[in-house]
Amino acid sequence: MSQGETEETDDEQPGALPDYAERVLDVADLIPPGRVMTYGDVAEWLGDGGPRQVGRAMALYGSAVPWWRVVRADGALLPGHELRAVEHYRAEGTPLREASRQADGHLPRLDMRRARWDGSGGDSSNPAGQGEETHT
């Protein structure tokens, strides 16, 4: 090796998650039910990358986490996954803006003003009370 060159090492095992993707998925796991973060919010939270890098990590590795909680900034639903996402949003009580009859496909959008989570611990409760059992 000549001076100035560094030996490339691959510390990750084959099939292991890249470090950035693992960090993105960790943030997705933190988002409370009924709330969302944009791709840009996740990148800002990490202090690394940008919306496209977060989107790429979610597209490749996000199926094991609540992927529907990492969204576009305009509140539009992820193309090709709209119906599955809407099921999750409705089950979790995520604020939606219903589509007008003139809207393409009549799909709702996320109400970003109400659904967006800033990452603070104060909103980590389940706002819709979904999935909680009561015992008598």
Side-chain angles (χ1 to χ4, degrees):
M1 209 177 341
S2 65
Q3 187 177 5
E5 287 184 36
T6 59
E7 183 179 340
E8 289 187 29
T9 59
D10 188 1
D11 294 335
E12 296 180 14
Q13 302 295 323
L17 221 53
D19 178 62
Y20 187 77
E22 188 169 346
R23 292 171 51 219
V24 167
L25 300 184
D26 287 346
V27 174
D29 272 333
L30 293 174
I31 304 168
R35 304 303 296 269
V36 299
M37 288 180 93
T38 68
Y39 298 111
D41 291 341
V42 172
E44 186 175 326
W45 172 279
L46 293 172
D48 191 13
R52 288 179 188 238
Q53 289 82 4
V54 170
R56 180 78 173 148
M58 290 299 297
L60 293 175
Y61 307 105
S63 64
V65 299
W67 53 266
W68 58 92
R69 297 183 193 151
V70 181
V71 301
R72 292 172 37 161
D74 66 359
L77 305 184
L78 185 64
H81 301 279
E82 301 95 331
L83 298 179
R84 286 180 47 217
V86 166
E87 287 176 16
H88 289 292
Y89 297 141
R90 289 192 170 135
E92 293 181 356
T94 308
L96 298 171
R97 291 178 28 221
E98 293 301 324
S100 68
R101 293 190 184 265
Q102 292 78 26
D104 187 35
H106 307 293
L107 290 170
R109 284 183 178 253
L110 291 159
D111 184 339
M112 293 302 292
R113 191 175 58 217
R114 293 175 39 223
R116 200 171 194 168
W117 186 58
D118 65 4
S120 67
D123 285 337
S124 61
S125 65
N126 187 345
Q130 298 296 321
E132 295 180 7
E133 294 181 329
T134 57
H135 297 281
T136 57

